[in-house]
Amino acid sequence: MIVPMKKVSLIIMGDKKSETLRKLRKLGILHIESVEGSGKKLEELKETVSLLESALFSVSEKKNKKIKQENVDSEKALSVARQIVFLEEEKKLCSAEKITLSAELDRIAAWGEIDPAEFGGLKEKGIGISLYEMPLKEYGNLGENVKTLPIEKTKSSVKFLLIESGTEEETEIIGSLKTYRFEMPSTSTAEIREKLVCANKRIEKIEEEISSFAVCSDGIKKAIKSCEKEIEFEVYATGMADETLSDNGKSVAYFTGYVEEENLEKLRNTAKENFWGLLVEEPTEDDNVPTKLKNNKFVSLIYPLTDFLGTVPGYFEYDISGWFLGFILIFFGIIFGDGGYGILITAVTGILIAKTLAAKKKVSPAFLLIGLFGLSTILWGTLTCTWFGLSPEQIPEWLQKLSVPVISNVYADRIWCPPWTNGEYGLTTAQNLQIFCFSLALVQLTVAHLKVAARNRKSIKILGDIGAIMQLIGIFYVVLSFVVNAQVFPFGLVISGIPVGTVALVLVIAGFVMSFVFSNYNGSIGKSILESLKNIVSVLLGVVNVFSDIVSYIRLWAVGLAGAAISATVNELASPLLGNFLFMIIAIVLLVFGHGLNMILNVLSVIVHGIRLNTLEFSSHLDMSWSGHKFRPFEEQIEN
């Protein structure tokens, strides 16, 4: 359930801000509404966190899990962080120098070993020598006025030394050859190589120094958390609204927050003790009320998944944690579809849970949730007789008998004829699975409208919700006729004197009318109808959306079928190799890789398809937008 909240406003003296916040933080029950802080101290704290995070990122890349962590306080952690950041900056400079030196070596590589000092010595003796590289054809046109010494010739170019004599004509020609002149390096090739070696050694040394600080990573994390708490405190202290009293120049400050209803009395008592002004109100839909969910231990197993998705229901929305968990378990089992995969998931999870218990630690809810996913997959694999992509003939007879015939792979080629067809028409196993998926849609979407109806039970608006349920039931039959089999589910179908097809169409029409008239009811039927008329396009499209939402559940069968096809293909590729001892290792590698890849794809399919059905199709029928944010009380830092 969503824990009931109360909106509270606290009024305090302006000079008691810090003192009040310290007491509230110690109390740890008030969620303070977001404000914008300012000030030099706040900026300094943010810079400190940025510094610590940068340092943590550097050491985390080099951290070995086996390294024993040192007990580092916040002051030392900050000092270590500064050293790490300084070393990282030096490393960047060394890396930049390394790139420059390497580029310079590449540039002069074609000329061999060069020492500018030797050329400078010759110039002091009156012999000016320059290096050039130009097209061979242009080289031939230089004439006798320029003295050159070819070093290397190719079919298209030539490298040469130009010996300067200082004549006016020669100077003019040399000036026209600027684009072909080779710029001498600032130092010799040997010195550049030596600098490059030094740069590499310094980078290695810096890496070692940074790695040595990995023992402080936990201390840096604690320092970050401590600073974040101080930032939170400073934001509230500086962002708190302040009003100056005209009579005596003193000021009062006030702020708004939310407290759990059960903790309201505790806050009242604290306010009395400290002479705070306290105003308590019921939250309205205009308020940005935080959400706190409270469920039993079993339903709470869904929290790791919803936390991963970042989905939080709004305070005035619904807590669908239990329904989310129930349906996602079913969806997971159908999408993975293979009991063998379920055994692997359950076994790995069981080992992790056993290790955790052996270490006398609390078992993570995520492990328990994954274990449930594994059991769900085993159950579905048992019902459909699907084990590691094996054909029914390869599966033991006792496992075949555990399956449910109408959806079992053992009877994949059989046609199932409902009684009303008199044996003329029938359904395949695949069609039976489709019907099962559409039935899941009917159940889940009906649950959504029942929850909405329960909320509107004291209003005539509930008739609109009943109409929506009638539409669902009627369109369900339409889907069976259009998508599954029109011969088995015709609109002229009559069972025991009941015209099923006609009833379905009547339900759709009557449900639409009821929904049209009462869905927007707010004290006046006329206004409700007028509101529906204003949005007539959306209202009409709503019927189409119901059809598409039900059909959308066929993705469960389709994705499960694709996964089964992949696993069967992997087995077909590997089976010929298993008969030969020399190729057996290749076959095992192929099986492990193929089935492992299939399981990864199935995980992605659960995220894309299974979760979508809960957070989109199901939620849209609940009018949920997942617009909430978590209840986070202002409290002391909790040590891990």
Side-chain angles (χ1 to χ4, degrees):
M1 70 169 191
I2 294 176
V3 176
M5 295 282 170
K6 291 292 184 181
K7 180 180 179 180
V8 296
S9 299
L10 277 173
I11 304 171
I12 60 174
M13 297 304 297
D15 57 352
K16 299 287 185 180
K17 289 180 183 179
S18 296
E19 179 187 332
T20 301
L21 287 172
R22 277 192 286 271
K23 290 179 179 179
L24 284 174
R25 186 164 64 179
K26 189 174 182 180
L27 191 62
I29 60 173
L30 183 65
H31 175 109
I32 300 177
E33 202 165 64
S34 296
V35 293
E36 288 188 12
S38 60
K40 184 179 178 181
K41 184 178 179 181
L42 184 60
E43 293 302 317
E44 289 175 351
L45 285 168
K46 288 180 179 179
E47 288 175 7
T48 300
V49 169
S50 179
L51 176 72
L52 290 166
E53 287 178 341
S54 179
L56 181 63
F57 178 78
S58 296
V59 295
S60 293
E61 292 181 327
K62 303 161 182 66
K63 181 182 175 183
N64 188 324
K65 290 183 179 180
K66 295 180 180 179
I67 292 178
K68 186 178 179 181
Q69 292 291 307
E70 289 184 2
N71 188 15
V72 178
D73 59 24
S74 295
E75 188 176 340
K76 184 176 179 181
L78 184 57
S79 174
V80 168
R82 289 195 180 101
Q83 293 179 63
I84 293 170
V85 171
F86 177 81
L87 288 170
E88 284 288 358
E89 288 298 322
E90 186 182 355
K91 180 184 170 183
K92 286 179 184 177
L93 293 174
C94 290
S95 297
E97 182 185 12
K98 179 181 173 182
I99 292 170
T100 302
L101 293 171
S102 297
E104 184 67 355
L105 281 177
D106 291 340
R107 186 179 74 85
I108 64 178
W111 292 91
E113 296 292 321
I114 297 177
D115 187 353
E118 293 181 357
F119 285 87
L122 289 172
K123 193 167 186 178
E124 289 176 1
K125 294 177 182 179
I127 304 173
I129 297 177
S130 303
L131 303 178
Y132 288 84
E133 181 178 7
M134 63 189 303
L136 184 61
K137 186 177 180 181
E138 292 187 34
Y139 175 74
N141 297 328
L142 288 178
E144 297 179 356
N145 294 320
V146 180
K147 296 180 182 179
T148 63
L149 179 63
I151 298 175
E152 180 184 328
K153 281 186 179 182
T154 65
K155 292 181 180 180
S156 58
S157 64
V158 59
K159 290 187 179 72
F160 61 90
L161 297 176
L162 191 149
I163 304 168
E164 301 173 8
S165 58
T167 64
E168 185 176 339
E169 187 175 357
E170 179 193 64
T171 302
E172 185 178 340
I173 294 172
I174 291 174
S176 66
L177 300 178
K178 284 182 180 179
T179 55
Y180 301 120
R181 183 168 179 164
F182 173 75
E183 291 296 327
M184 288 284 186
S186 58
T187 57
S188 68
T189 308
E191 287 177 352
I192 293 173
R193 287 201 190 94
E194 187 177 345
K195 287 181 180 179
L196 187 59
V197 170
C198 290
N200 282 324
K201 286 182 178 178
R202 182 53 190 155
I203 290 172
E204 289 177 8
K205 181 68 176 175
I206 290 172
E207 290 280 357
E208 290 176 6
E209 288 184 54
I210 293 175
S211 296
S212 68
F213 290 120
V215 295
C216 302
S217 59
D218 285 355
I220 295 174
K221 287 179 184 177
K222 289 178 182 178
I224 290 172
K225 288 181 180 179
S226 178
C227 279
E228 286 175 343
K229 279 292 178 184
E230 287 303 309
I231 287 174
E232 182 184 36
F233 186 95
E234 196 64 24
V235 165
Y236 292 144
T238 58
M240 201 181 296
D242 215 333
E243 293 288 342
T244 302
L245 300 175
S246 57
D247 55 344
N248 56 14
K250 291 186 177 182
S251 65
V252 294
Y254 56 91
F255 58 94
T256 303
Y258 299 91
V259 64
E260 296 169 67
E261 200 172 78
E262 61 184 31
N263 288 327
L264 180 59
E265 198 58 36
K266 190 184 294 186
L267 180 62
R268 275 199 176 112
N269 293 334
T270 305
K272 287 179 182 178
E273 291 171 7
N274 293 278
F275 304 102
W276 301 336
L278 179 65
L279 175 65
V280 181
E281 301 173 277
E282 286 294 333
T284 67
E285 293 192 15
D286 293 329
D287 294 321
N288 190 23
V289 190
T291 303
K292 181 177 181 179
L293 301 178
K294 187 176 183 180
N295 290 291
N296 58 51
K297 289 184 178 180
F298 178 74
V299 173
S300 299
L301 293 178
I302 195 63
Y303 293 164
L305 179 58
T306 53
D307 288 344
F308 169 74
L309 297 172
T311 52
V312 181
Y315 179 76
F316 293 99
E317 294 182 339
Y318 302 90
D319 177 16
I320 59 169
S321 301
W323 294 107
F324 198 128
L325 177 61
F327 283 109
I328 196 63
L329 287 173
I330 297 172
F331 297 160
F332 189 99
I334 296 174
I335 289 173
F336 260 73
D338 195 302
Y341 291 174
I343 290 174
L344 292 177
I345 295 169
T346 307
V348 171
T349 309
I351 292 170
L352 292 173
I353 291 173
K355 281 187 175 181
T356 305
L357 292 173
K360 296 182 179 179
K361 295 180 180 178
K362 185 180 178 181
V363 176
S364 168
F367 290 165
L368 298 174
L369 179 62
I370 295 171
L372 285 177
F373 284 151
L375 293 174
S376 172
T377 308
I378 293 172
L379 177 60
W380 185 256
T382 302
L383 296 177
T384 58
C385 198
T386 308
W387 301 92
F388 291 113
L390 299 173
S391 63
E393 296 78 17
Q394 297 172 301
I395 297 172
E397 188 176 347
W398 65 272
L399 275 178
Q400 295 182 30
K401 290 180 179 179
L402 290 176
S403 64
V404 176
V406 292
I407 58 172
S408 174
N409 288 324
V410 178
Y411 306 98
D413 298 327
R414 183 172 171 180
I415 301 298
W416 304 88
C417 299
W420 63 82
T421 63
N422 297 319
E424 294 182 18
Y425 309 109
L427 299 167
T428 63
T429 300
Q431 289 174 327
N432 287 331
L433 286 167
Q434 292 172 20
I435 293 171
F436 180 80
C437 292
F438 295 144
S439 299
L440 274 177
L442 178 63
V443 171
Q444 189 174 31
L445 300 183
T446 300
V447 165
H449 287 286
L450 286 173
K451 287 182 75 67
V452 177
R455 177 169 284 187
N456 296 326
R457 63 186 178 276
K458 295 181 181 179
S459 168
I460 198 173
K461 194 174 182 179
I462 192 174
L463 295 175
D465 302 319
I466 294 171
I469 295 172
M470 291 167 62
Q471 283 187 77
L472 266 175
I473 297 171
I475 292 175
F476 171 72
Y477 187 83
V478 173
V479 170
L480 296 184
S481 181
F482 281 9
V483 180
V484 180
N485 192 317
Q487 293 175 318
V488 176
F489 301 103
F491 286 104
L493 176 63
V494 178
I495 301 177
S496 300
I498 301 174
V500 180
T502 304
V503 170
L505 293 176
V506 169
L507 285 172
V508 174
I509 296 169
F512 173 78
V513 172
M514 291 176 67
S515 182
F516 185 87
V517 174
F518 298 107
S519 287
N520 297 305
Y521 180 80
N522 191 16
S524 171
I525 293 179
K527 289 181 180 179
S528 178
I529 295 173
L530 184 61
E531 192 65 30
S532 295
L533 286 171
K534 287 180 183 177
N535 302 291
I536 187 64
V537 175
S538 299
V539 172
L540 292 172
L541 286 176
V543 180
V544 179
N545 288 338
V546 173
F547 180 89
S548 64
D549 285 346
I550 294 175
V551 172
S552 182
Y553 282 70
I554 202 172
R555 68 182 67 235
L556 298 171
W557 166 76
V559 175
L561 183 65
I566 292 173
S567 58
T569 302
V570 171
N571 291 343
E572 287 178 12
L573 292 172
S575 57
L577 301 175
L578 291 171
N580 189 316
F581 181 77
L582 295 175
F583 293 106
M584 188 171 292
I585 295 176
I586 298 175
I588 293 172
V589 171
L590 179 60
L591 286 169
V592 172
F593 175 78
H595 285 290
L597 179 62
N598 194 24
M599 291 182 74
I600 293 171
L601 293 174
N602 283 339
V603 170
L604 295 175
S605 296
V606 169
I607 295 172
V608 173
H609 301 291
I611 290 174
R612 171 207 160 101
L613 293 176
N614 276 302
T615 57
L616 187 60
E617 276 81 357
F618 183 42
S619 297
S620 66
H621 285 256
L622 284 163
D623 290 327
M624 281 185 65
S625 60
W626 297 97
S627 57
H629 61 285
K630 279 190 172 184
F631 175 79
R632 299 186 188 279
F634 183 51
E635 58 187 350
E636 299 281 1
Q637 183 173 341
I638 300 172
E639 297 291 339
N640 292 330

